[in-house]
Amino acid sequence: MKSEKEQFEKIPTRIYPSADQACAELAAEMADLIRRRAGENRRAVFGLATGSTPVRLYRELIRLHREEGLSFANVVTFNLDEYHPIEPDHSQSYHRFMREQLFDHIDIPDDHIHIPPGAIERTKVFQACAAYEEAIREAGGIDLQILGIGRTGHIGFNEPGSGRDSRTRLVTLDRLTRQDAEKDFLGEANVPRYAITMGVATILEARAVVLMAWGEGKAAIVRRAVEGEISEAVSASFLQEHRNARFLLDDSAAADLTQRKLPWRVGPCDWTPALSRRAVVWLSDRVGKPVLKLVDEEYNEHGMGELLTEEGPAYNINIRVFNQIQHTITGWPGGKPNADDSHRPERATPHPKRVAVLSPEPHDDVCFLGGTLNRLVRQGHEVHVVYLTSGNLAVADEEARKYAAFLADVEASTGDGGASGLGRIVLDQLAARRPGAPDTPEIRRIKSLIRREEARSACRICGVPEGQLRFLDLPFYENGRLRQFFAGPEDLDRVREVLEAIRPHQVYTAGDLSDPASSRRICADLVRRALDESPADGWVRDCYLWLYRGSDQEWATDEIDMAVPLSPDELSLKILAIYQHQSQKRQLPGREDRLREAWQQAEARNRALALAYDRLGLAEYEAIEAFRRGR
Ligand code: F6R
């Protein structure tokens, strides 16, 4: 008989507290197979993926090679896919990715490596695909296929519409996939339109398949693949037909699975206050009624009879949850002086407070707490904004060219620097650069400066004094690549030092649950560690940590500890502040997806939250910014 969980999940899942733990286990399993096969004088054949998901796995394999002598001499690999057309040395090609992330650091023989040929002429693609399939067969088939999953549900580049019987072939990339790659290529227009990918049937022939997914961005599609119908609309759902496939997930990628999201539907629950709040908010949304109007029958009909039995009748539960949510609302994010604070999210004293906003990138601060920032300043608090990374990787060349030309003009007109000034140098470098080549230090410098000035001007609008802004330019970002970042000890030291210098009563930062290799998630982890490691009897004892959600997402209404309403004027001011980050404007204005500009996303998010509070039966506000208490 199937367990309660298995009635929902049609592919075995394993949920880990972190991607690192999952990768360590999987790498150990791969190492076992490699050693066993070496003992039998045979080869181990792996199907490999690229993207941010497997980066930690590859790092662990490299560690096993360096520190534990694991040899890859008997390993044969087949990569899932490659963009088309793309040169192998392009900064975003999967050939280059695999060399940098794995092959250059282990002893795998060159002729054991197979990656679809992205630079091949279009007329030769068909033949090359057939040869790729043949090479897999000749190698004896794939022992273990590693997969990530795209937000379209693709495995490899098998976009929606790919058939169960598809084989290695040229495909057109889905719009969503190209948007996801937009950051890497600095603009959607630069993302190749095609790719060569193994087919669904090719993948399903592997003897074992492991799909990994990290971060909240994957939660919805993971649920569809694991719990939904098998369908061409989500090619990962075909894995339900495989006899030896499994999903390795971190907590946030697993968050939408029924066992996590609606645990009361899967079995008996421990009804903590947080869980009953979640269930009641869900029920209110489900039946389309405010919290105070929910009745016993509705609890029973929606699988919440257990809660009713333990804590009912419904009205008692309703009132308790309603009050909890009501107490999250405050117009005094720094605490209201001389007021009873027993039901307020923040303490009344001390007043004023020292506030540190630790902003992972130069526009996080205004996008996620522009309104709150402005309130904190107006209510007399000492607000410091610390920009953790320079954000220079998110500036398109076009923007850098504009400022470099301006600078070159100034240099020429003042005779200051002339031909050797930064503006001229950057202009020359941009003109000479090959597509996909990484930024030079000078280009990165000018891009950092652009973001700095934008941040200064946005803070001016929110009222934060210029002397209270700091730019840390953390090394993990300066030395890393987008979506493939790793923090080091120096990063932590710098965050620690800045907190020691400010000694804040409140810290605001990203509560990010996204991909562990993203800059926002790394910053979130650094801030948490710096706070955890600060002496417990010092300033940190009186410091509250307030987390905004980040990644264009918002906290669910039941997760919020502080909701700061914004008046229409405050919302306009916030939008104006976000608008200062002109370098972040999208490269293709006026396309059909209207909500893609940062200010539009922020406005929509804050308005949607106000509406959600209204629907629960609370007051009707224009917009709300939301925070969860981290400590
Ligand atoms: C990569 C591949 C893709 C990715 C997927 C997730 O070779 O085939 O299916 O696994 O797009 O990408 P990331 O890991 O960057 O989120």
Side-chain angles (χ1 to χ4, degrees), residues 48-54 80-81 94 147-150 154-157 218 483 515:
L48 299 182
T50 54
S52 56
T53 306
L80 281 164
D81 42 21
Y94 287 169
L147 298 175
I149 182 168
H154 70 213
I155 46 177
F157 275 136
K218 301 289 170 73
R483 304 199 299 142
D515 177 343

Side-chain angles (χ1 to χ4, degrees), residues 46-55 57-58 77-81 94 97-98 101-103 144-149 155-156 198 210 212:
F46 294 121
L48 299 182
T50 54
S52 56
T53 306
V55 168
L57 174 69
Y58 297 154
T77 63
F78 288 90
N79 263 83
L80 281 164
D81 42 21
Y94 287 169
F97 174 97
M98 287 309 298
Q101 298 296 327
L102 184 63
F103 297 146
L144 176 65
Q145 175 67 54
I146 306 291
L147 298 175
I149 182 168
I155 46 177
M198 280 188 198
V210 175
M212 303 183 287

Side-chain angles (χ1 to χ4, degrees), residues 97-119:
F97 174 97
M98 287 309 298
R99 275 205 322 273
E100 288 178 353
Q101 298 296 327
L102 184 63
F103 297 146
D104 282 354
H105 312 283
I106 57 176
D107 61 341
I108 185 169
D110 277 350
D111 60 344
H112 288 196
I113 296 171
H114 305 82
I115 304 178

Side-chain angles (χ1 to χ4, degrees), residues 306-339:
E306 191 189 21
L307 174 61
L308 204 57
T309 313
E310 286 185 17
E311 298 174 27
Y315 201 66
N316 290 359
I317 307 173
N318 295 348
I319 297 232
R320 207 186 54 231
V321 170
F322 181 85
N323 283 339
Q324 275 174 7
I325 301 175
Q326 195 171 37
H327 293 152
T328 63
I329 303 174
T330 182
W332 297 82
K336 185 170 185 180
N338 309 317

Side-chain angles (χ1 to χ4, degrees), residues 7 16 77 86 101-102 150 153 156 246 265 279 289 333 385 457 493 598 602 618:
Q7 289 172 16
Y16 294 81
T77 63
I86 199 164
Q101 298 296 327
L102 184 63
R246 66 204 139 110
R265 294 191 140 190
K289 278 177 158 188
V385 182
S457 122
D493 285 347
L618 292 123

Side-chain angles (χ1 to χ4, degrees), residues 214-217 250 252-253 511-516 521 549 551 555 559:
W214 325 128
E216 63 183 359
D250 66 359
S252 25
D512 205 76
L513 306 168
S514 61
D515 177 343
R521 173 74 174 262
R549 176 67 177 269
S551 335
W555 297 115
E559 294 172 320

Side-chain angles (χ1 to χ4, degrees), residues 8-125:
F8 290 97
E9 295 178 13
K10 300 168 197 158
I11 302 175
T13 56
R14 189 123 190 233
I15 305 171
Y16 294 81
S18 74
D20 282 331
Q21 282 181 34
C23 289
E25 250 182 62
L26 180 57
E29 186 183 321
M30 293 169 78
D32 261 5
L33 181 72
I34 296 171
R35 289 196 176 108
R36 231 178 322 119
R37 288 286 170 83
E40 299 162 0
N41 218 1
R42 291 170 60 201
R43 292 172 168 182
V45 184
F46 294 121
L48 299 182
T50 54
S52 56
T53 306
V55 168
R56 289 176 147 63
L57 174 69
Y58 297 154
R59 221 166 121 108
E60 176 62 9
L61 289 173
I62 295 168
R63 192 194 66 76
L64 290 173
H65 172 67
R66 286 195 181 139
E67 293 176 18
E68 299 182 17
L70 177 67
S71 169
F72 289 77
N74 67 324
V75 170
V76 174
T77 63
F78 288 90
N79 263 83
L80 281 164
D81 42 21
E82 174 61 286
Y83 291 110
H84 189 276
I86 199 164
E87 291 299 321
D89 63 348
H90 188 288
S91 68
Q92 299 305 322
S93 89
Y94 287 169
H95 280 74
R96 181 162 180 164
F97 174 97
M98 287 309 298
R99 275 205 322 273
E100 288 178 353
Q101 298 296 327
L102 184 63
F103 297 146
D104 282 354
H105 312 283
I106 57 176
D107 61 341
I108 185 169
D110 277 350
D111 60 344
H112 288 196
I113 296 171
H114 305 82
I115 304 178
I120 199 171
E121 265 173 52
R122 186 71 178 256
T123 51
K124 299 193 175 141
V125 167

